[in-house]
Amino acid sequence: MKKRRTAATASMVMAGVLVTAGCGAGGPSAGGGDFTDDKVVLALLNDASGVYKDVSGPNSKIAIQMAIDDYQEKYGDDAVVDDIEVISADHQNEPDIANTKAQELYDREGADVILDVPTSSAALAVATQAKNKKKVYINIGAGTTELTGAQCNKYTFHYAYDTWMLANGTGTVVTEEGDKNWQLIYPDYAFGQDMVKSFTGAIEAGGGKVAGTIATPFPNDNFATYITKAGAAKPQVIGTMHAGGDLINLVKQYNESGLKDQGIDLAVGLMFISDIHSLGVEAFEGTIFTDAWYWNLDEKSREWADRFMEETGDRPTYAHAGNYSAALQYLEAVQAAGTDDADKVVEELEGKKIDDMFLRNGEIRAEDHQVIHDVYLARVKGPADVKEDWDYEEIIKTIPAEEAFRPASESGCSM
Amino acid sequence: MSAVLQYTVQGLAAGSFYALAALGLAVIFGVLGVVNFAHGAFYMLGAVAAAVLLDTLGLSLWGALIVVPLLMLVFGMLVERLLVQWLLPLDPLYNLLLTFGLTLLLVDLVKRRYGVSGLPYERPSALSGRVEVGGVGLPVYQLFVIGVALLVCLGVWLLMTRTRVGMIVRAATERPELAGALGINVGRWVTPVFGFGVALAGLAGVLAAPFRAITAEMGSDFIIILFAVVVIGGLGSIVGAVVGGFLVGLVEAFGQAYAPTFAQVLIFVLMAVVVLARPAGLFGREEATA
């Protein structure tokens, strides 16, 4: 009898402690609080020093912090969790480092979600960890369709862009607008080969043809002869699948070649506004590419871009905006679920329709976890049309969400 | 036919960068016996300096072609005085490690200061556009690069053959034991020669600025090709460096045109063939074997 009473008292004390802990620093918790460690940890895993640093890098941490601030401002005392933290790690674009870091973040640092992870092979490694550890991973930086295809899993989501969407946007639309005869130049590794496959499909679907493809070493700085060769076949447009420094080399040498004056256009597979900023609009003038988001799209985007610029001194790329949006939507899902339990959060995320600063007509597709949204076909402005710094893009077409991404039926994903 | 002309010009333009930089590498190796691994980083610094001077002071390419090599000359002499000279009496491996470390340091410093996306560079309008040669439009800038490279190589050759300083340096480069035996004081020329070699790498960088992506990493692959150039031309041979540079540029261009996937491999195949047939390189002197 006495024993039972002691046990009851003990459990009451325990409950009291728990409730007090739950109330903690900032008032009552609406959902009753069911958190692994009384806090939510968002982990940014990306390239902090290498080629993709300017595309996303450390500035994405600031974007995620902005999402946390916005969440806290929106819910105030009603927030289900008060303690939210963003941490970051550098994966140097190496899949094995990404793999180790992901384990550390989930296990030791208590990360509830990992965000970003550029470089496809690294992203696939993190997706595998997410699956094993049953923790959420939202990819923004990597382009591979495998994440929502054969290698999809319950805990992995794909935000922002992928190779199918880039090819479909640039390949199909440019073909339909009259450039039917293509030459493709691509770096000879997994990403380049993937892009060529996607582009060829999109171009043929648009009624065009790929007359030739040229593989180049990766990395490479001398493209003059490849370009001359592509031009000698007299295509209407040359498509390049290069990125970063290789893209800049190729564009400089394309401008040198005089093909532009002969009416042979250049279409770029993957490009970020930071590329245009570093090389200058003169070099890219007239180039057509697919963009997941543009800072000067409308008032809503611009307002956020202004805040971002105050913090960082730069305008955001779509990777920065995507990290913000993904962090915010994750926290919204935590709020709705009242817990950071991954299975419950995933349930909230699946099928959710979203319209925020980044996603327009967005939906987190339940079938394959592809986050679909409106994307844009952009043309780089000429120097005369640039009204302010970073005012580089003219949006020539909005591709509606349902058409912009690979249909779920073709993804080959089974969860 | 027109395509062949275009490939030739492209090959010679790419070869110009190699020839200028390899020339610097060759004199440094000749006089100091140092395999300068940081040569690619010096090439990168030349391009970055040109971009920064244009951005901050509005110094155009014309000015940069004079100013940047002078800056690099001073920088190179400082590197020699402060670092390289202390390791000269030791195994050559130490300076190889030093210059390799220097490369990592310089690349990371540039990354830290200027980011990874590369710097913009606008060339003077006089050098834009194309000229018609036999119905083929050849880019003016590529012809300009070839012209500058040939002039500089000619200048260096005159300096080496027609002046006393040049003769001393050449003697020290090509017949070090003999020069020493004849009582020529090579020592006092060591610092200026190192600076001069670095200045040539810087000049190649300036010429590359309007044509290549200006990033911290731009020298990393360049240096590998450069070593192939020097091996093909013959270690320490001045003529060899120049001929090797243009030859590798041509092989690269025609390789890209007719065997795209093998373009870079071809350079090293050429290197292997040369080393097998003439171990000292095309213009190198056979080591006196006992």
Side-chain angles (χ1 to χ4, degrees):
Chain A
M1 189 68 191
K2 199 182 172 194
K3 213 174 194 175
R4 197 179 295 160
R5 194 179 298 153
T6 324
T9 319
S11 55
M12 272 158 73
V13 171
M14 288 290 280
V17 168
L18 278 177
V19 169
T20 331
C23 295
S29 300
D34 183 12
F35 289 87
T36 40
D37 44 9
D38 290 322
K39 67 175 179 181
V40 168
V41 179
L42 297 98
L44 173 71
L45 180 59
N46 70 10
D47 178 4
S49 55
V51 287
Y52 299 130
K53 179 185 161 223
D54 293 353
V55 166
S56 182
N59 278 356
S60 282
K61 192 172 178 183
I62 294 170
I64 293 169
Q65 187 58 52
M66 286 166 72
I68 297 172
D69 295 346
D70 286 356
Y71 165 79
Q72 284 171 334
E73 196 185 317
K74 181 176 173 190
Y75 288 101
D77 288 347
D78 297 330
V80 293
V81 58
D82 294 309
D83 196 356
I84 308 171
E85 193 191 350
V86 52
I87 56 175
S88 63
D90 184 0
H91 73 349
Q92 299 164 40
N93 299 320
E94 298 285 347
D96 49 336
I97 298 179
N99 191 44
T100 323
K101 290 277 176 196
Q103 289 183 42
E104 271 177 34
L105 289 169
Y106 283 138
D107 291 344
R108 220 175 306 155
E109 313 272 345
D112 294 298
V113 58
I114 289 180
L115 295 160
D116 209 6
V117 198
T119 308
S120 293
S121 46
L124 289 167
V126 175
T128 308
Q129 286 301 335
K131 183 182 175 189
N132 294 344
K133 309 269 181 206
K134 300 198 189 322
K135 297 268 185 164
V136 180
Y137 161 44
I138 306 179
N139 165 65
I140 291 119
T144 178
T145 49
E146 285 287 292
L147 286 169
T148 53
Q151 300 194 45
C152 71
N153 68 63
K154 184 182 169 187
Y155 301 94
T156 299
F157 296 84
H158 197 154
Y159 238 74
Y161 84 105
D162 65 19
T163 56
W164 196 96
M165 160 265 196
L166 295 171
N168 175 61
T170 312
T172 314
V173 177
V174 171
T175 305
E176 283 172 357
E177 300 202 336
D179 280 349
K180 304 244 178 262
N181 186 1
W182 287 70
Q183 286 278 329
L184 301 180
I185 304 184
Y186 67 99
D188 205 2
Y189 74 110
F191 171 79
Q193 291 153 359
D194 259 16
M195 286 286 277
V196 163
K197 215 187 290 166
S198 300
F199 260 79
T200 307
I203 290 163
E204 281 165 4
K209 71 168 177 13
V210 177
T213 60
I214 299 174
T216 74
F218 169 79
N220 183 36
D221 58 5
N222 183 4
F223 291 98
T225 307
Y226 294 124
I227 293 166
T228 305
K229 208 179 162 209
K234 301 281 170 225
Q236 286 166 299
V237 55
I238 295 176
T240 163
M241 308 301 144
H242 292 82
D246 280 21
L247 175 66
I248 294 175
N249 269 309
L250 190 139
V251 171
K252 276 190 173 181
Q253 288 157 30
Y254 162 79
N255 291 338
E256 188 77 54
S257 70
L259 294 180
K260 209 183 223 173
D261 303 337
Q262 296 172 29
I264 299 176
D265 294 327
L266 183 71
V268 174
L270 172 62
M271 190 157 87
F272 291 88
I273 195 165
S274 47
D275 293 320
I276 311 174
H277 187 67
S278 76
L279 193 48
V281 275
E282 297 83 6
F284 280 109
E285 182 178 354
T287 306
I288 295 165
F289 68 104
T290 305
D291 205 350
W293 178 82
Y294 177 50
W295 69 271
N296 208 3
L297 206 57
D298 56 18
E299 202 43 50
K300 210 162 151 190
S301 309
R302 198 184 162 87
E303 200 181 297
W304 187 81
D306 286 345
R307 276 175 62 198
F308 184 85
M309 194 158 185
E310 256 170 52
E311 301 267 349
T312 64
D314 285 331
R315 289 293 182 189
T317 66
Y318 68 71
H320 296 131
N323 272 292
Y324 166 87
S325 171
L328 189 64
Q329 295 312 329
Y330 174 81
L331 290 172
E332 290 277 3
V334 168
Q335 177 73 20
T339 170
D340 62 359
D341 178 78
D343 290 284
K344 298 210 175 97
V345 173
V346 167
E347 228 169 84
E348 287 296 330
L349 286 170
E350 282 183 338
K352 192 175 174 192
K353 291 200 186 336
I354 304 163
D355 245 310
D356 68 5
M357 179 283 293
F358 176 71
L359 300 174
R360 303 298 152 82
N361 300 313
E363 185 190 340
I364 304 176
R365 219 157 50 188
E367 299 93 320
D368 58 355
H369 288 186
Q370 175 78 57
V371 181
I372 63 166
H373 59 103
D374 291 356
V375 303
Y376 311 92
L377 200 68
R379 183 185 285 131
V380 180
K381 290 184 175 180
D385 300 324
V386 174
K387 294 189 190 66
E388 59 178 306
D389 265 4
W390 299 88
D391 173 31
Y392 303 144
E393 297 179 20
E394 177 200 351
I395 303 299
I396 50 179
K397 190 180 166 162
T398 299
I399 305 166
E402 313 80 65
E403 291 171 27
F405 289 89
R406 179 174 65 181
S409 54
E410 290 172 24
S411 71
C413 163
S414 58
M415 280 188 214
Chain B
M1 186 56 217
S2 71
V4 171
L5 182 61
Q6 270 177 308
Y7 299 152
T8 309
V9 170
Q10 283 158 1
L12 291 177
S16 299
F17 303 137
Y18 297 141
L20 283 176
L23 193 57
L25 203 60
V27 288
I28 289 175
F29 178 79
V31 175
L32 286 84
V34 171
V35 178
N36 180 20
F37 214 98
H39 221 61
F42 293 143
Y43 160 80
M44 176 273 289
L45 279 186
V48 169
V52 171
L53 287 173
L54 177 69
D55 187 44
T56 54
L57 303 178
L59 186 77
S60 74
L61 182 74
W62 306 109
L65 283 173
I66 312 284
V67 174
V68 173
L70 287 178
L71 288 175
M72 295 301 293
L73 176 77
V74 175
F75 180 68
M77 286 169 72
L78 282 174
V79 168
E80 199 279 337
R81 279 291 89 187
L82 296 175
L83 301 168
V84 173
Q85 69 151 331
W86 305 107
L87 300 177
L88 283 179
L90 304 175
D91 191 290
L93 207 57
Y94 286 92
N95 258 320
L96 184 76
L97 288 175
L98 170 76
T99 49
F100 180 63
L102 204 56
T103 303
L104 299 179
L105 193 72
L106 291 171
V107 168
D108 273 7
L109 283 175
V110 169
K111 259 192 206 169
R112 211 181 159 74
R113 180 68 187 79
Y114 299 107
V116 295
S117 293
L119 300 163
Y121 197 84
E122 222 176 317
R123 92 193 94 201
S125 52
L127 295 176
S128 304
R130 272 156 294 285
V131 284
E132 289 286 321
V133 178
V136 190
L138 298 175
V140 173
Y141 190 72
Q142 285 179 10
L143 299 174
F144 172 76
V145 167
I146 299 170
V148 171
L150 286 177
L151 273 182
V152 171
C153 291
L154 187 70
V156 171
W157 183 74
L158 286 176
L159 191 75
M160 292 291 175
T161 52
R162 296 283 183 273
T163 66
R164 184 169 161 73
V165 177
M167 285 181 206
I168 293 172
V169 169
R170 201 157 51 96
T173 308
E174 299 186 352
R175 296 276 198 281
E177 341 46 69
L178 217 58
L182 289 172
I184 297 169
N185 183 0
V186 179
R188 57 194 284 222
W189 297 107
V190 162
T191 310
V193 162
F194 192 87
F196 180 68
V198 172
L200 283 174
L203 177 66
V206 177
L207 283 171
F211 196 57
R212 299 270 164 99
I214 308 168
T215 64
E217 299 281 2
M218 68 186 287
S220 315
D221 296 311
F222 187 75
I223 185 72
I224 313 257
I225 308 268
L226 218 51
F227 282 144
V229 167
V230 172
V231 170
I232 290 168
L235 267 181
S237 161
I238 288 161
V239 179
V242 176
V243 173
F246 284 112
L247 187 64
V248 164
L250 286 172
V251 168
E252 192 175 88
F254 282 93
Q256 287 187 358
Y258 298 110
T261 12
F262 299 107
Q264 274 181 336
V265 181
L266 274 181
I267 294 169
F268 296 99
V269 171
L270 174 69
M271 184 181 90
V273 170
V274 167
V275 169
L276 282 175
R278 284 182 62 91
L282 293 178
F283 294 87
R285 193 172 51 92
E286 297 289 338
E287 293 288 324
T289 42

